[in-house]
PDB file of all heavy atoms in Angstrom:
ATOM      1  N   ALA A  51      -9.876  16.559 -19.082  1.00 97.00           N
ATOM      2  CA  ALA A  51     -10.374  16.531 -20.518  1.00 97.00           C
ATOM      3  C   ALA A  51     -10.135  15.216 -21.231  1.00 97.00           C
ATOM      4  O   ALA A  51     -10.723  14.996 -22.298  1.00 97.00           O
ATOM      5  CB  ALA A  51      -9.761  17.626 -21.262  1.00 97.00           C
ATOM      6  N   VAL A 114     -23.510   0.159 -17.431  1.00 94.00           N
ATOM      7  CA  VAL A 114     -23.802  -1.132 -16.766  1.00 94.00           C
ATOM      8  C   VAL A 114     -23.742  -2.227 -17.783  1.00 94.00           C
ATOM      9  O   VAL A 114     -24.116  -1.982 -18.929  1.00 94.00           O
ATOM     10  CB  VAL A 114     -25.115  -1.134 -15.975  1.00 94.00           C
ATOM     11  CG1 VAL A 114     -25.005  -0.233 -14.868  1.00 94.00           C
ATOM     12  CG2 VAL A 114     -26.216  -0.812 -16.872  1.00 94.00           C
ATOM     13  N   THR A 142     -19.040  32.841  -5.935  1.00 94.00           N
ATOM     14  CA  THR A 142     -17.917  33.309  -5.047  1.00 94.00           C
ATOM     15  C   THR A 142     -16.854  33.823  -5.935  1.00 94.00           C
ATOM     16  O   THR A 142     -16.437  33.190  -6.823  1.00 94.00           O
ATOM     17  CB  THR A 142     -17.492  32.145  -4.101  1.00 94.00           C
ATOM     18  OG1 THR A 142     -18.539  31.492  -3.477  1.00 94.00           O
ATOM     19  CG2 THR A 142     -16.447  32.597  -3.229  1.00 94.00           C
ATOM     20  N   GLY A 154      -2.727  14.150 -21.515  1.00 95.00           N
ATOM     21  CA  GLY A 154      -1.805  13.544 -20.635  1.00 95.00           C
ATOM     22  C   GLY A 154      -0.891  14.461 -19.871  1.00 95.00           C
ATOM     23  O   GLY A 154      -0.056  14.021 -19.025  1.00 95.00           O
ATOM     24  N   SER A 210     -14.838  -4.420 -30.618  1.00 91.00           N
ATOM     25  CA  SER A 210     -14.649  -5.871 -30.654  1.00 91.00           C
ATOM     26  C   SER A 210     -15.410  -6.586 -29.529  1.00 91.00           C
ATOM     27  O   SER A 210     -15.088  -6.375 -28.331  1.00 91.00           O
ATOM     28  CB  SER A 210     -13.150  -6.242 -30.485  1.00 91.00           C
ATOM     29  OG  SER A 210     -12.359  -5.647 -31.612  1.00 91.00           O
ATOM     30  N   ASN A 215     -12.501  -2.236 -23.298  1.00 97.00           N
ATOM     31  CA  ASN A 215     -11.506  -1.143 -23.074  1.00 97.00           C
ATOM     32  C   ASN A 215     -11.087  -1.355 -21.518  1.00 97.00           C
ATOM     33  O   ASN A 215      -9.950  -1.344 -21.157  1.00 97.00           O
ATOM     34  CB  ASN A 215     -11.964   0.267 -23.303  1.00 97.00           C
ATOM     35  CG  ASN A 215     -10.970   1.350 -22.960  1.00 97.00           C
ATOM     36  OD1 ASN A 215      -9.827   1.304 -23.537  1.00 97.00           O
ATOM     37  ND2 ASN A 215     -11.327   2.212 -22.092  1.00 97.00           N
ATOM     38  N   MET A 246      -5.451  -5.720  -9.813  1.00 95.00           N
ATOM     39  CA  MET A 246      -6.250  -5.888  -8.663  1.00 95.00           C
ATOM     40  C   MET A 246      -5.982  -4.905  -7.543  1.00 95.00           C
ATOM     41  O   MET A 246      -4.828  -4.401  -7.377  1.00 95.00           O
ATOM     42  CB  MET A 246      -5.876  -7.276  -8.089  1.00 95.00           C
ATOM     43  CG  MET A 246      -6.437  -8.509  -8.912  1.00 95.00           C
ATOM     44  SD  MET A 246      -8.187  -8.737  -8.867  1.00 95.00           S
ATOM     45  CE  MET A 246      -8.471  -8.955  -7.138  1.00 95.00           C
ATOM     46  N   TYR A 253      -8.572 -10.812   0.654  1.00 82.00           N
ATOM     47  CA  TYR A 253      -8.938 -11.322  -0.673  1.00 82.00           C
ATOM     48  C   TYR A 253      -8.794 -12.823  -0.580  1.00 82.00           C
ATOM     49  O   TYR A 253      -7.821 -13.367  -0.139  1.00 82.00           O
ATOM     50  CB  TYR A 253      -8.067 -10.730  -1.709  1.00 82.00           C
ATOM     51  CG  TYR A 253      -8.315 -11.309  -3.110  1.00 82.00           C
ATOM     52  CD1 TYR A 253      -9.675 -11.436  -3.608  1.00 82.00           C
ATOM     53  CD2 TYR A 253      -7.284 -11.636  -3.983  1.00 82.00           C
ATOM     54  CE1 TYR A 253      -9.916 -11.896  -4.844  1.00 82.00           C
ATOM     55  CE2 TYR A 253      -7.602 -12.199  -5.198  1.00 82.00           C
ATOM     56  CZ  TYR A 253      -8.878 -12.274  -5.687  1.00 82.00           C
ATOM     57  OH  TYR A 253      -9.112 -12.762  -6.926  1.00 82.00           O
ATOM     58  N   PRO A 325       6.389 -13.508  -5.976  1.00 90.00           N
ATOM     59  CA  PRO A 325       6.186 -14.904  -6.328  1.00 90.00           C
ATOM     60  C   PRO A 325       6.285 -15.983  -5.224  1.00 90.00           C
ATOM     61  O   PRO A 325       5.815 -17.044  -5.391  1.00 90.00           O
ATOM     62  CB  PRO A 325       7.321 -15.114  -7.403  1.00 90.00           C
ATOM     63  CG  PRO A 325       7.624 -13.693  -7.935  1.00 90.00           C
ATOM     64  CD  PRO A 325       7.475 -12.910  -6.714  1.00 90.00           C
ATOM     65  N   SER A 338       0.843 -42.226 -10.023  1.00 93.00           N
ATOM     66  CA  SER A 338       0.703 -43.693  -9.723  1.00 93.00           C
ATOM     67  C   SER A 338      -0.565 -44.084  -8.999  1.00 93.00           C
ATOM     68  O   SER A 338      -0.892 -45.155  -8.777  1.00 93.00           O
ATOM     69  CB  SER A 338       1.991 -44.108  -8.986  1.00 93.00           C
ATOM     70  OG  SER A 338       2.078 -43.489  -7.596  1.00 93.00           O
TER      71      SER A 338
END
Side-chain angles (χ1 to χ4, degrees):
V114 292
T142 308
S210 299
N215 177 62
M246 290 285 304
Y253 177 44
S338 63

